[in-house]
């Protein structure tokens, strides 16, 4: 049977090897997706589902000429070209939607409604449909009609500043910088894919679909993360460069760079590095003493100068090997091409070679996540546009078949009707009258992760109903704690001690998910490896988060956001032709990996919901780094000619701190008072000529001379404020937005009214402002977690839950758990 018959056949009759077939290991096989996406957000979210085994049909516009990136965004999908303005083709689209489990689209609000493919019409014909929209701005946003170009969203969310410590000398801090990395679209896709799988899990219990909405603007609040969290009494802190313990980017003997980041509460990483480099004597001079450096800034400068000279004595590769052998976070700065061709990326599956029907053997990012029992399927090549039309049309004439593996079991159906499910005043009520419960309500998570990425995944699971216990080590500074641990219960446990292990195993015995970001083999040394945990809890979803991922020669290396950016080519892309630089003001890998780990957890939990089986799932900063650059990450396999790819090569990518945009039509411009972004194309010239204030400036220009157009716009835009110009431009149907600072964004009345920024009362520091929830689920909305408490503040409650309340004092006396003199949770302010 053909793979394309999957839309009308039952699971039991699917052909082995077909998308979604039995024998194919994807956790989502049996799930049917219609992908109306374009550009990045929609296709990327649908790709993440396809890689996990879903049968995805991508709908192209007729006559589309895809670029090389199409080989990535549409791999593993089937294709049909439909003119949605044509009645017959629109009928085909509606038939596809009626038989689908998931619909993905990222048009502006209202477009799908005008086609009769909106949420209300679609669910009327298919009440089990999970409908995911990813517009630039939400339907209820006053900017809903503004084209949501990446630059427009970047201006609206402050994602156009250079990272502190990476600006050129003499840099004007008010000047924006442009990146071609589609950060907002990527985050929308990551969050959208997670929310889709969570909604499928909820549907398995209720039989009802739902509407998911992740606007690009909203998704940026997930990217902003802790950068936008602050105690009101202290205000939003200024951007600060990471410079503790000698952190920085250093030039080496071969004129290449390394990113060195020995951060932490203690100078252990710096000490290890100095010992390995043969300069242990520096320790005696106070260059590893954080207290002395804080008192005497000249010591910090001396350390930086010494390291600058030291790194010039060896090539970057040697420093990388030396540091990683010593267990120190350091990475050589590579290009994206070097990353994709590296032994580690290929061995770990973070880069895969796909036999593309047009480009031939092509290397591209692998799966976003790794699952032990249901491996991803990233090696399936794309089909070319409209390649599957005949078979898709034919299957639509056959009687539709449901999704048998996603029907509620008898026990689940009985559970929906059991006593105790009467709706309460505070619970959303479904169409049948029973309370609507969040997808992960009743699930328990043990969160052993630290810093940002792993804890962010736990926070997202909290927002979708999970009960999360966050474990930190006692008797030490916790570091990043506030925003990322909202909604969790917190306890300080020494997991290395026998008594601490007793506490931990009691929690694990009652858990559905365990998350950690221990370095490779550390969990095994603690007796907490997957095989150890699975022996007691075979149905657990065991989540591992790391810097470099699993399965290659770099598996055991330590690293943070900056190492992930250095290794995968982001720093080279951001730095342009000069010194490499970290991209953007926000941690796109840390928080992106948090969303990816939540997605991995969701896939594992969905598989468990259907089968009762647990598994190990993994993701990493470098996997996220590849996905953040996926638009540029399709290239010939190593050693093969690039002729076919050259035909699809893009124009030169704007990069470096001075980049303002693609061309004068699509870039940042300065008005009389501040900068704004204009999102248009060369074809927009007739429309621009009609914008009040531009008629005379653009008269006589035919658009062929970019320099002339740039000069004309530059002069014209000086007369008027950024708000005046954006109002005129958006009234003409063009994309535009003033550059908004983070402080303005976090206090914006509309963002606050929609819960994108929220205030909570911290028991420690009073009122705190922070990002809210970026994902909207209309029938079953996620819920904000309670304000984070001091690390360890919930110890007695947690011990009571696992039956150890009577042992609390003895456990505290033995330092297995800490219940007094608790460390601060907001001490980074």
């Amino acid at each position: 049977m053909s793979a394309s018959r999957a839309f009308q056949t039952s699971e039991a009759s699917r052909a082995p090897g077909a998308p979604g077939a039995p024998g194919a290991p994807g956790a989502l096989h049996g799930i049917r997706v219609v992908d109306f996406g374009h550009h990045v957000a929609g296709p990327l979210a649908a790709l993440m589902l396809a890689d996990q085994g879903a049968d995805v049909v991508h709908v192209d516009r007729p006559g589309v000429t895809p670029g090389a990136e199409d080989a990535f965004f549409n791999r593993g999908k089937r294709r049909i070209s439909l003119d949605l303005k044509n009645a017959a083709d629109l009928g085909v689209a509606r038939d596809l939607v009626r038989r689908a489990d998931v619909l993905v689209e990222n048009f502006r609000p209202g477009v799908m409604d005008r086609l009769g493919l909106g949420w209300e019409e679609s669910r009327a014909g298919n009440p089990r449909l999970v409908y995911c929209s990813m517009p630039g701005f939400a339907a209820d946003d006053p900017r809903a009609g503004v084209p949501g170009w990446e630059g427009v969203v970047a201006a609206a969310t402050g994602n156009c500043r250079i990272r502190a410590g990476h600006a050129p000398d003499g840099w004007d801090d008010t000047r924006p910088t442009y990146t071609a990395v589609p950060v907002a679209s990527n985050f929308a896709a990551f969050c959208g894919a997670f929310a889709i799988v969570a909604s499928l899990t909820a549907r398995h219990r209720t039989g009802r679909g739902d509407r998911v909405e992740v606007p690009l603007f909203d998704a940026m609040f997930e990217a902003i993360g802790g950068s936008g969290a602050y105690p009101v009494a202290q205000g939003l802190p200024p951007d600060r460069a990471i410079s503790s313990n000698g952190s920085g980017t250093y030039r080496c003997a071969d004129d290449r760079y390394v990113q060195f980041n020995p951060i932490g509460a203690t100078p252990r990483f710096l000490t290890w590095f100095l010992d390995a480099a043969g300069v242990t004597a520096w320790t005696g001079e106070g260059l590893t003493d954080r207290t002395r450096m804080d008192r005497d800034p000249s010591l910090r400068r001396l350390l930086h100068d010494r390291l600058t000279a030291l790194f010039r004595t060896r090539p970057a590769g040697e420093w990388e090997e030396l540091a990683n052998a010593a267990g120190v976070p350091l990475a050589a700065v590579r290009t994206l091409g070097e990353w994709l061709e590296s032994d580690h990326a290929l061995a770990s599956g973070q880069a895969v070679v796909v036999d593309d029907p047009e480009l031939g053997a092509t290397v591209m990012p692998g799966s976003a996540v790794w699952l032990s029992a249901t491996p991803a399927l990233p090696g399936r090549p794309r089909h070319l546009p409209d390649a599957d039309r005949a078979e898709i049309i034919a299957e639509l004439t056959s009687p539709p078949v449901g999704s048998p593996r996603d029907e509620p079991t008898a026990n689940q159906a009985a559970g929906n009707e059991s006593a105790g499910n009467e709706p309460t005043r505070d619970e959303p009520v479904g169409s049948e009258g029973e309370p609507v419960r969040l997808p992960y309500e009743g699930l328990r998570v043990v969160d052993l992760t630290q810093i940002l990425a792993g804890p962010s995944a736990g926070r997202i699971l909290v927002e979708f109903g999970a009960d999360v216990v966050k474990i930190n080590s006692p008797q030490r500074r916790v570091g990043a704690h506030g925003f990322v641990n909202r909604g969790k219960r917190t306890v300080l446990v020494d997991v290395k001690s026998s008594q601490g292990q007793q506490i931990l195993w009691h929690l694990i015995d009652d858990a559905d998910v365990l998350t950690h970001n221990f370095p490779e083999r550390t969990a095994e040394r603690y007796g907490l490896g997957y095989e150890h945990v699975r022996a007691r809890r075979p149905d657990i979803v065991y989540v591992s988060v790391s810097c470099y991922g699993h399965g290659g020669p770099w598996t055991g290396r330590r690293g943070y956001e900056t190492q992930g950016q250095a290794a995968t080519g982001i720093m080279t892309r951001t730095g342009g032709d000069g010194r490499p630089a970290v991209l953007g003001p926000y941690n796109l890998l840390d928080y992106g990996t948090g969303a990816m780990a939540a997605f991995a957890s969701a896939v594992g939990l969905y598989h468990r919901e259907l089968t009762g089986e647990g598994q190990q799932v993994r993701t990493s900063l470098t996997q996220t780094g590849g996905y953040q650059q996926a638009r540029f990450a399709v290239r010939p396999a190593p050693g093969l000619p690039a002729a076919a790819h050259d035909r699809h090569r893009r124009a030169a990518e704007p990069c470096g701190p001075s980049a303002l945009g693609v061309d004068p039509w699509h870039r940042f411009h300065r008005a009389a008072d501040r900068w704004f972004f204009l999102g248009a194309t060369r074809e927009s010239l007739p429309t621009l000529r009609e914008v009040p204030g531009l008629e005379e400036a653009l008269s006589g220009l035919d658009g062929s001379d970019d320099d002339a157009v740039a000069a004309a716009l530059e002069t014209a835009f000086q007369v008027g404020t950024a708000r005046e110009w954006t109002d005129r431009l958006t009234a003409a149907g063009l994309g535009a937005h003033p550059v908004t600072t983070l402080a303005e964004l976090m206090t914006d009345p509309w963002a606050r009214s929609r819960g994108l920024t929220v205030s909570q009362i911290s028991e420690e520091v009073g009122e705190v402002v922070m990002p809210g929830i970026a994902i909207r689920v209309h029938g079953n909305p996620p819920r904000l977690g309670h304000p984070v408490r001091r690390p360890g503040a919930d110890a007695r409650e947690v011990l009571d839950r696992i039956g150890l309340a009577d042992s609390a004092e003895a456990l505290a006396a033995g330092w297995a758990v800490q219940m007094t003199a608790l460390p601060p949770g907001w001490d980074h302010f």
Side-chain angles (χ1 to χ4, degrees), residues 2-335:
S2 163
S4 62
R5 301 290 292 173
F7 250 60
Q8 66 93 24
T9 56
S10 72
E11 178 200 2
S13 63
R14 290 185 186 166
L28 299 182
H29 79 265
I31 295 299
R32 298 159 296 196
V33 181
V34 183
D35 172 17
F36 289 100
H38 56 287
H39 297 307
V40 175
L44 182 56
L47 166 77
M48 291 170 64
L49 304 179
D51 277 354
Q52 301 307 320
D55 178 12
V56 180
V57 170
H58 179 74
V59 177
D60 291 286
R61 287 177 291 119
V64 65
T65 304
E69 67 270 21
D70 184 76
F72 170 77
F73 286 116
N74 285 310
R75 74 174 177 217
K77 303 178 185 179
R78 298 186 291 143
R79 311 281 285 270
I80 186 170
S81 296
L82 297 175
D83 180 358
L84 299 181
K85 297 178 181 179
N86 174 280
D89 278 4
L90 184 57
V92 172
R94 289 172 176 165
D95 282 346
L96 283 170
V97 173
R98 276 193 287 270
R99 295 167 180 248
D101 299 290
V102 177
L103 181 152
V104 175
E105 62 93 8
N106 59 312
F107 293 107
R108 265 181 274 175
V111 171
M112 293 290 278
D113 296 292
R114 291 193 292 272
L115 294 168
L117 295 169
W119 163 240
E120 294 296 339
E121 297 89 344
S122 297
R123 76 165 172 174
N126 183 358
R128 291 173 57 79
L129 182 69
V130 174
Y131 190 109
C132 181
S133 300
M134 289 171 281
F137 296 95
D140 59 355
D141 193 316
R143 299 159 292 191
V146 176
W149 296 100
E150 280 288 333
V152 171
V153 177
T157 56
N159 188 37
C160 49
R161 306 192 315 274
I162 294 178
R163 178 74 64 103
H166 292 267
D169 292 341
W171 182 256
D172 177 3
D173 289 337
T174 67
R175 189 183 193 277
T177 185
Y178 176 84
T179 175
V181 175
V183 177
S185 291
N186 292 335
F187 269 88
F190 302 165
C191 293
F194 160 77
I196 288 169
V197 180
S199 296
L200 288 171
T201 302
R203 186 189 77 167
H204 181 65
R205 300 168 187 170
T206 67
R208 293 191 305 276
D210 212 332
R211 183 187 177 200
V212 173
E213 188 181 13
V214 191
L216 272 61
F217 175 80
D218 297 25
M220 280 303 302
F221 286 84
E222 190 64 45
I224 290 166
S227 296
Y230 59 94
V232 170
Q234 300 176 39
L236 187 70
D239 288 344
R240 293 178 292 208
I242 299 175
S243 59
S244 62
N245 295 336
S247 292
T249 305
Y250 295 92
R251 193 175 184 179
C252 302
D254 55 355
D255 289 330
R256 300 195 61 160
Y257 290 84
V258 294
Q259 215 302 316
F260 181 47
N261 200 13
I263 61 173
T266 68
R268 59 176 183 145
F269 291 145
L270 178 60
T271 301
W272 295 351
F273 176 76
L274 298 182
D275 288 347
V279 288
T280 304
W282 294 11
T283 302
E285 299 177 53
L287 297 183
T288 61
D289 188 330
R290 289 278 297 274
T291 302
R292 286 182 60 184
M293 286 191 177
D294 289 342
R295 290 198 304 262
D296 184 359
S298 66
L299 280 178
R300 187 178 300 236
R301 291 192 295 272
L302 176 61
L303 175 61
H304 184 272
D305 291 344
R306 290 269 191 92
L307 288 171
T308 298
L310 179 66
F311 278 112
R312 289 291 282 170
T313 64
R314 303 188 193 190
E318 287 189 21
W319 284 120
E320 186 176 54
E321 292 298 326
L322 177 146
N324 283 290
V328 175
L330 180 149
V333 176
R334 289 171 170 79
T335 65

Side-chain angles (χ1 to χ4, degrees), residues 434-763:
E434 80 276 9
V436 176
R437 303 195 181 277
L438 289 168
Y440 304 128
E441 192 165 343
L443 293 184
R444 290 179 169 175
V445 180
V446 175
D447 183 358
L448 291 162
T449 63
Q450 310 297 320
I451 313 297
L452 300 179
S456 293
R459 174 188 51 77
I460 294 171
L461 295 177
V462 164
E463 291 162 359
F464 280 71
D467 176 358
V468 180
V469 173
K470 177 69 172 66
I471 296 177
N472 288 92
S473 297
Q475 310 306 319
R476 67 171 60 183
R477 175 178 170 267
V478 170
H481 180 73
F483 162 74
V484 293
N485 290 307
R486 181 177 64 203
K488 303 176 188 178
R489 288 184 285 178
T490 168
V491 60
L492 301 174
V493 177
D494 180 6
V495 299
K496 300 178 184 178
S497 71
S498 59
Q499 289 184 315
Q501 290 250 324
Q502 178 190 14
I503 296 170
L504 182 57
W505 279 110
H506 275 288
L507 288 169
I508 291 173
D509 285 341
D510 199 29
D512 303 281
V513 179
L514 182 144
T515 66
H516 76 78
N517 59 350
F518 293 128
E520 188 71 13
R521 292 180 293 279
T522 298
E524 284 73 16
R525 289 200 302 271
Y526 292 166
L528 294 171
Y530 175 56
E531 295 302 327
H532 298 114
V533 175
R534 185 172 70 159
R536 291 175 65 152
R537 286 302 311 274
D539 63 339
I540 202 161
V541 175
Y542 183 102
V543 185
S544 303
V545 180
S546 63
C547 180
Y548 295 105
H550 174 74
W554 302 358
T555 294
R557 294 183 178 183
R558 287 186 171 91
Y560 301 107
E561 168 86 20
T562 50
Q563 278 66 57
Q565 289 204 25
T568 58
I570 294 176
M571 286 188 66
T572 302
R573 169 163 273 111
T574 307
D577 295 329
R579 183 185 179 92
V582 173
L583 175 61
Y586 310 133
N587 284 12
L588 72 160
L589 298 192
D590 278 329
Y591 292 113
T593 303
M596 288 292 199
F599 171 69
S601 303
V603 175
L605 287 168
Y606 178 74
H607 173 72
R608 192 182 90 147
E609 183 79 19
L610 271 59
T611 67
E613 300 171 356
Q615 60 179 311
Q616 183 176 19
V617 303
R618 300 176 183 267
T619 193
S620 67
L621 300 181
T622 51
Q623 281 172 281
T624 304
Y627 268 60
Q628 293 283 10
Q629 302 173 89
R631 288 182 63 200
F632 315 101
V634 175
R635 52 194 65 218
L640 295 179
H645 289 74
D646 288 343
R647 292 196 297 273
H648 299 276
R649 191 179 297 274
R650 291 178 173 272
E653 175 194 347
C655 55
S658 62
L660 290 173
V662 177
D663 53 37
W665 326 95
H666 200 86
R667 56 161 274 194
F668 289 100
H669 291 275
R670 186 173 181 84
D673 60 334
R674 66 197 305 174
W675 291 83
F676 70 95
F677 191 86
L678 167 62
T681 64
R682 194 177 304 275
E683 289 70 33
S684 305
L685 180 58
T687 303
L688 279 166
R689 283 203 185 103
E690 297 178 3
V691 173
L694 295 182
E695 310 97 320
E696 184 177 343
L698 295 176
S699 65
L701 296 177
D702 62 5
S704 60
D705 185 343
D706 282 356
D707 291 339
V709 172
L713 292 175
E714 202 169 299
T715 300
F717 287 147
Q718 290 297 311
V719 182
T721 65
R723 175 51 62 191
E724 290 170 341
W725 280 115
T726 55
D727 286 348
R728 295 175 199 172
L729 292 162
T730 55
L734 300 169
H737 204 287
V739 170
T740 303
T741 67
L742 181 58
E744 291 170 333
L745 182 67
M746 295 307 299
T747 56
D748 176 72
W750 187 85
R752 291 186 72 81
S753 73
R754 298 307 305 167
L756 294 171
T757 72
V758 297
S759 292
Q760 293 188 318
I761 302 302
S762 161
E763 63 183 8

Side-chain angles (χ1 to χ4, degrees), residues 348-364:
S348 64
Q350 296 181 62
V352 294
V353 177
V354 174
D355 188 13
D356 185 78
E358 188 173 77
L359 303 176
T362 300
V363 65
M364 61 184 69

